[in-house]
């Protein structure tokens, strides 16, 4: 018989304290480690940089630990910040010099992979700030707000709590401010304010960040219009692979190892590719399968419901494969070949409401 502790049975991934408590923990720290999910996206990097810049504003020593590959364009937003990049193939670990760890934009053991043992050994000195619906007890103190369009939208409230000016840290050209880091997370997680999670609150935050000096056009150009041609070629491969499922309402695309070899494109250059088919009116959702060593990485996106119509809850769909995310954007991993993963997706869709 497996003995389950009361804590395990009752665990709900929700806030167990408020931002004032988190602010107190940060203020009383001497050396802070900030980390996020591996293969970080714009919100993950923006969130790490935002916490680093808040620490700097408070004269607290802090280091950001980033694991795995990410879009090189995102380096554009790293200024003089102390960021340690960890290569999962030759990992190194943080050591004992930190008295607080802040985990942002995830709360799932499976997403912090490499640093999980280090975090697990000091859960009492870990705080977690997230906007995802699913996660684990990786921290003693946790604020989870799924109504935030990005993790940085939550961090704006932390900056307010800490009474830090959003324009803090800007250089002479107005770059690398706290506001810029917060904006990068907000803009990328909302698809540059096009997705359903860009609501009045997100626009209100954006207005504050622009007022604090964010150069939005420059940020957009640096993040979205500085890609390598190889990425565009990879996109064309993904689109050529497109077929539809669920009576023509769901796009399924796949990229094999050969596609990467032939184009020179990289897995970390795939941000946004899953959204490309959404321009077709007949499609309600899109799925991208990417072949990586022995495992298929699956990205799910869905359009919000129009005029009382139906929509596909991809968070639920991803959960059937042990993954998760948000209602309209989620991810999972399926073991085996691309063909096997495609068949599994087809089977799961047949059982869903769409
Ligand atoms: Mn996020």
């Amino acid at each position: 018989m497996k003995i389950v502790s009361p804590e395990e049975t009752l665990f709900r991934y929700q806030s167990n304290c408020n931002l004032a408590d988190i602010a107190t923990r940060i203020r009383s720290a001497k050396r802070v480690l900030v980390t996020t999910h591996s293969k970080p996206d714009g919100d993950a990097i923006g969130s790490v940089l935002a916490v680093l810049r808040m620490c700097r504003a408070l004269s607290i020593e802090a280091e950001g630990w980033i694991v795995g590959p990410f879009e090189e364009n995102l380096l554009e937003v790293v200024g003089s910040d102390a960021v340690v990049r960890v290569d999962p193939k030759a990992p190194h670990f943080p050591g004992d010099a930190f008295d607080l760890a802040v985990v942002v934009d995830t709360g799932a053991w499976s997403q912090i992979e490499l640093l999980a043992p280090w975090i697990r050994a000091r859960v009492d000195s870990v705080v977690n700030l997230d906007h995802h619906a699913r996660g684990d007890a990786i921290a003693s103190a946790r604020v989870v707000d799924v109504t935030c369009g990005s993790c940085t939208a939550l961090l704006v409230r932390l900056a307010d709590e800490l009474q830090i000016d959003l324009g803090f840290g800007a250089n002479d050209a107005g770059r690398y401010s706290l506001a810029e880091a917060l904006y990068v997370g907000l803009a990328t997680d909302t698809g540059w304010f096009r997705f359903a999670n860009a609501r009045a609150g997100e626009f209100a935050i954006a207005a504050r960040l622009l007022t604090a000096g964010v150069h939005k056009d420059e940020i957009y150009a640096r993040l979205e219009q500085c890609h390598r041609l190889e990425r565009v070629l990879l996109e064309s491969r993904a689109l050529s692979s497109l077929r539809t499922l669920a009576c023509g309402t769901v796009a399924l695309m796949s990229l094999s190892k050969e596609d990467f070899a032939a184009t020179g494109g990289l897995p970390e250059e795939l941000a946004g590719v899953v959204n490309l088919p959404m321009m077709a009116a007949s499609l309600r959702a899109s799925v991208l399968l990417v072949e990586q060593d022995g495992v298929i990485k699956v990205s799910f996106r869905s359009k919000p419901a129009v005029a009382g119509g139906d929509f596909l809850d991809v968070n639920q769909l991803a959960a059937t494969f042990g993954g998760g995310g948000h209602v309209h954007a989620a991810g999972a991993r399926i073991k085996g070949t691309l063909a096997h993963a495609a068949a599994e997706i087809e089977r799961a869709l047949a059982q869903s409401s769409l």
Side-chain angles (χ1 to χ4, degrees):
M1 190 176 86
K2 185 179 184 267
I3 297 167
V4 180
S5 73
E7 226 174 294
E8 234 181 295
T9 355
L10 296 173
F11 181 72
R12 294 269 183 285
Y13 189 62
Q14 57 192 22
S15 301
N16 64 358
C17 68
N18 58 34
L19 286 170
D21 301 321
I22 302 281
T24 305
R25 295 285 294 269
I26 291 176
R27 267 199 213 97
S28 55
K30 289 195 173 59
R31 194 149 180 251
V32 179
L33 177 139
V34 191
T35 192
T36 183
H37 54 86
S38 58
K39 297 177 191 145
D41 57 6
D43 190 27
I45 301 263
S47 296
V48 169
L49 294 177
V51 176
L52 289 179
R53 289 168 194 177
M54 286 185 231
C55 288
R56 200 183 336 142
L58 300 167
S59 301
I60 296 167
E61 242 187 277
E63 249 174 41
W65 280 61
I66 309 261
V67 179
F70 58 87
E71 270 198 71
E72 290 298 314
N73 286 356
L74 283 171
L75 279 176
E76 285 292 340
V77 295
V78 180
S80 56
D81 308 274
V83 172
V84 178
R85 288 180 74 175
V86 184
D87 178 358
K89 290 187 180 111
H92 60 294
F93 298 92
D96 290 322
F98 300 94
D99 59 347
L100 182 72
V102 183
V103 182
V104 286
D105 200 35
T106 183
W109 287 122
S110 62
Q111 291 205 296
I112 51 177
E113 294 171 318
L114 214 65
L115 291 186
W118 188 87
I119 300 276
R120 210 182 278 276
R122 43 180 68 64
V123 166
D124 284 345
S125 329
V126 180
V127 299
N128 183 199
L129 294 152
D130 192 17
H131 69 133
H132 291 88
R134 284 164 211 276
D136 306 303
I138 65 162
S140 55
R142 173 171 60 248
V143 173
V144 180
D145 188 346
V146 295
T147 70
C148 288
S150 67
C151 185
T152 60
L154 175 61
L155 295 179
V156 169
R157 304 206 312 256
L158 179 64
D160 290 343
E161 195 64 57
L162 290 163
Q163 296 180 302
I164 300 169
D165 188 281
L166 296 178
F168 171 83
N171 68 3
D172 291 345
R175 293 284 320 276
Y176 309 119
S177 63
L178 170 58
E180 183 177 296
L182 295 164
Y183 182 85
V184 165
L186 184 64
T188 54
D189 251 23
T190 59
W192 301 92
F193 304 98
R194 289 171 299 133
F195 299 157
N197 62 350
R199 292 152 299 220
E202 282 70 26
F203 279 95
I205 292 168
R208 282 188 66 193
L209 299 175
L210 296 188
T211 306
V214 169
H215 297 302
K216 73 174 174 63
D217 298 340
E218 188 182 342
I219 295 294
Y220 181 79
R222 285 182 187 272
L223 293 189
E224 299 293 334
Q225 298 177 324
C226 286
H227 293 296
R228 303 185 311 140
L229 183 63
E230 286 83 343
R231 182 227 155 105
V232 183
L233 297 175
L234 201 55
E235 284 194 5
S236 87
R237 288 262 176 163
L239 283 174
S240 330
S241 76
L242 190 152
R243 65 187 176 95
T244 62
L245 304 173
C247 305
T249 60
V250 177
L252 180 75
M253 301 183 292
S254 43
L255 286 170
S256 65
K257 283 189 166 176
E258 292 74 63
D259 291 316
F260 289 99
T263 57
L266 301 167
E268 56 266 35
E269 290 180 303
L270 290 173
V273 174
V274 63
N275 292 305
L276 295 174
M278 297 292 221
M279 63 180 89
S282 56
L283 292 171
R284 304 300 311 145
S286 175
V287 182
L288 173 66
L289 306 177
V290 179
E291 187 181 24
Q292 285 172 346
D293 305 288
V295 68
I296 307 300
K297 197 184 157 240
V298 193
S299 300
F300 302 91
R301 296 292 184 277
S302 68
K303 290 180 186 172
V306 238
D310 216 355
F311 73 94
L312 185 66
D313 182 344
V314 292
N315 183 34
Q316 219 167 50
L317 188 60
T320 64
F321 300 104
H326 305 285
V327 176
H328 296 298
R333 280 156 194 279
I334 300 176
K335 281 196 179 122
T337 63
L338 280 170
H340 166 75
E344 288 289 303
I345 300 288
E346 196 161 3
R347 195 198 331 256
L349 279 171
Q351 284 163 8
S352 82
S353 57
L354 202 76

